[in-house]
Amino acid sequence: MIYAIMILTFLATPLFAQINWTAHTITDDFDGAWCAVPIDIDDDGDFDVLGSAYDANRISWWENDGSQNFAEHVICVGFTGPKGLCGVDIDGDTDIDVVSAGFLCDTLAWWENDGNENFVNRHTIVSNWGQPNYVCPADLNDDNEMDLLVTSCQAGKAAWFENNGDQTFSEHIIRTYWQGATYLHPVDLDQDGDIDIVGAGPGSGLILWFENDGSQNFTEHTLSANWAMPTSVATEDLDADGDLDFAATSSFGEIAWFENLGSQSFARHDINSYLYQARSVSTPDLNADGSLDIVCSSRLTHSVEWFESDASQSFTQHSVAESFYGANHAAVEDMDGDGDVDVLGAALIANSIVWWENDLIPGIEENGHTTVEYFDRFPTVISGALPMRPNSEYQILDITGRRIRSTDPHPGIYFILHDGRHVQKIIKLR
């Protein structure tokens, strides 16, 4: 039987969006918490957390049980002064290994995952290199082996370490005499099909782009000079015009976005000037309104902030967390799998790793409606992932009308809109 009905169309924030943040402490006993990375270490479908503790000389990961209860597993103690770290499959055996830059021990090393999340074998990539502080994975030469981007703020240099396929690495210097080099970001900035590198060096005041010619020969271009001691960058098409812009943080407290005017020429737009020692910038759409926002941490204001963008790239500042003492790092990910973007942070003074749950309350267009010709008369009761019709366009809405992006959300009531016409009610038990 066919039913012609009218239903409200709930739109994700054409009118307004309110986000409430709920703090969940993962640990408050991680001395000198430097970095926290969301990553599925054990390949069970949820996000675990990988962290480094500068003062405790410890690297750990916290296992997510699927309900955001986290259990710590220590990877290493005695690796003095770990700063940057990442999870990446170094040896090509399909599990996640761990790489860290040891600042005080002046060593870049990786820990091999035996497939059961036992990290018993430590492998030194390089030592006596000038106190590495940052590491990031990228397959720069497109050989299906993960290479590493590394900086030393003390030595003022940046390099990439080529994975030779047998877990040995060949060093390639990208830049020397780059005072305070702290950050490298792999991205195809000129959209020519290879991976370039964008980086920041606060001591030099430079944001640089290293253009890859396709053979890993890098030509340096200055994207910004003499700007406020830049500490981190994140590239994204912030103004939706088809090219890549970038957002940046600085030690002087300034937050800005840089508009790509074409041919990788950039115009700076200042957003804020009071977030001192700001770092770890990212550009998610936190309020699901279609515009990219900005998230960063600030070590001296002890906060994690987000800047809400409208369709014209005007930004409004909101707090994710205050009194997060020594807020050194922030990352974004859907930690609870409910379809919105949460925030994860590490606090150097508070010795804490915390994640903040995004409780998005979307705006609703009261007068919006859609004519739906086909409606399931009775709900479908399921466990597990929601049933998606093949070869169809669909949207998943919760009972508030909020768009859900995960096909396996938390238990609850959901509505699936198929091809804009057919509504199916789902009751998900678990």
Side-chain angles (χ1 to χ4, degrees):
M1 184 177 295
I2 296 177
Y3 296 85
I5 66 170
M6 303 291 284
I7 67 168
L8 287 176
T9 299
F10 299 94
L11 299 180
T13 62
L15 303 181
F16 67 92
Q18 177 182 347
I19 297 179
N20 298 319
W21 298 98
T22 302
H24 303 275
T25 298
I26 295 174
T27 181
D28 57 6
D29 187 26
F30 202 52
D31 291 352
W34 187 272
C35 185
V37 178
I39 186 170
D40 186 3
I41 292 281
D42 52 5
D43 194 29
D44 64 352
D46 52 37
F47 283 99
D48 310 303
V49 175
L50 179 64
S52 59
Y54 182 80
D55 294 331
N57 304 319
R58 187 162 96 234
I59 298 169
S60 293
W61 74 282
W62 285 263
E63 181 179 0
N64 186 347
D65 68 357
S67 298
Q68 294 73 62
N69 301 305
F70 291 88
E72 183 180 2
H73 304 275
V74 175
I75 295 172
C76 178
V77 291
F79 187 69
T80 53
K83 286 190 173 182
L85 84 168
C86 60
V88 59
D89 183 10
I90 288 291
D91 51 7
D93 62 356
T94 72
D95 54 32
I96 299 297
D97 308 303
V98 173
V99 185
S100 183
F103 184 75
L104 295 181
C105 62
D106 197 359
T107 300
L108 180 70
W110 71 282
W111 287 260
E112 182 179 353
N113 186 341
D114 69 357
N116 295 306
E117 292 70 61
N118 299 308
F119 297 89
V120 293
N121 293 321
R122 171 180 146 182
H123 306 270
T124 296
I125 297 171
V126 67
S127 58
N128 301 315
W129 193 70
Q131 297 184 288
N133 58 279
Y134 176 83
V135 60
C136 175
D139 184 6
L140 283 179
N141 54 359
D142 196 28
D143 64 352
N144 297 315
E145 303 284 351
M146 294 306 295
D147 311 305
L148 299 169
L149 298 173
V150 186
T151 64
S152 166
C153 59
Q154 294 295 100
K157 64 181 176 180
W160 72 281
F161 286 80
E162 180 181 359
N163 188 336
N164 297 318
D166 57 359
Q167 295 77 64
T168 64
F169 290 83
S170 298
E171 178 184 353
H172 304 275
I173 293 293
I174 299 170
R175 174 66 140 87
T176 56
Y177 303 104
W178 189 12
Q179 187 177 2
T182 60
Y183 195 86
L184 295 175
H185 176 67
V187 60
D188 184 5
L189 189 65
D190 53 3
Q191 299 178 311
D192 64 351
D194 51 37
I195 301 298
D196 309 306
I197 301 166
V198 175
S204 65
L206 293 174
I207 298 175
L208 300 177
W209 165 42
F210 302 96
E211 181 184 0
N212 188 346
D213 69 355
S215 299
Q216 296 73 62
N217 301 304
F218 292 94
T219 301
E220 179 182 315
H221 305 271
T222 299
L223 300 183
S224 176
N226 302 314
W227 177 72
M229 299 181 70
T231 54
S232 67
V233 294
T235 54
E236 192 57 80
D237 185 4
L238 291 168
D239 53 5
D241 65 351
D243 52 29
L244 289 174
D245 315 296
F246 66 92
T249 58
S250 79
S251 285
F252 276 178
E254 296 189 24
I255 314 296
W257 77 280
F258 294 75
E259 180 184 359
N260 192 335
L261 303 177
S263 301
Q264 291 71 58
S265 174
F266 291 85
R268 190 182 84 230
H269 303 275
D270 294 327
I271 298 172
N272 183 282
S273 58
Y274 302 103
L275 286 179
Y276 297 106
Q277 288 201 15
R279 56 197 60 232
S280 58
V281 67
S282 58
T283 54
D285 182 4
L286 279 186
N287 55 356
D289 66 348
S291 296
L292 294 173
D293 310 305
I294 293 173
V295 175
C296 68
S297 62
S298 172
R299 191 193 291 177
L300 288 190
T301 60
H302 310 296
S303 66
V304 177
E305 306 288 335
W306 76 282
F307 297 86
E308 178 184 1
S309 175
D310 63 15
S312 300
Q313 293 76 58
S314 295
F315 289 87
T316 302
Q317 182 176 349
H318 307 277
S319 178
V320 176
E322 298 176 348
S323 301
F324 191 54
Y325 293 103
N328 194 66
H329 188 257
V332 293
E333 191 53 82
D334 184 4
M335 296 297 297
D336 52 5
D338 65 351
D340 53 31
V341 180
D342 308 303
V343 178
L344 175 69
L348 190 64
I349 298 173
N351 304 318
S352 296
I353 293 177
V354 176
W355 75 279
W356 293 272
E357 182 178 357
N358 182 342
D359 300 324
L360 181 65
I361 303 173
I364 297 174
E365 189 176 35
E366 298 280 350
N367 297 322
H369 64 271
T370 299
T371 301
V372 180
E373 296 181 357
Y374 300 98
F375 183 76
D376 286 353
R377 187 170 184 178
F378 300 104
T380 299
V381 180
I382 67 165
S383 296
L386 303 183
M388 298 293 101
R389 296 187 176 190
N391 302 319
S392 69
E393 294 185 4
Y394 61 84
Q395 293 183 0
I396 302 170
L397 308 178
D398 67 12
I399 59 174
T400 72
R402 181 177 61 175
R403 175 81 177 272
I404 302 296
R405 289 179 172 80
S406 172
T407 59
D408 193 12
H410 293 307
I413 298 173
Y414 299 92
F415 298 89
I416 302 176
L417 185 64
H418 293 284
D419 298 315
R421 308 295 290 173
H422 181 99
V423 172
Q424 183 178 8
K425 182 178 180 182
I426 301 291
I427 298 175
K428 188 176 186 294
L429 298 180
R430 59 180 185 271

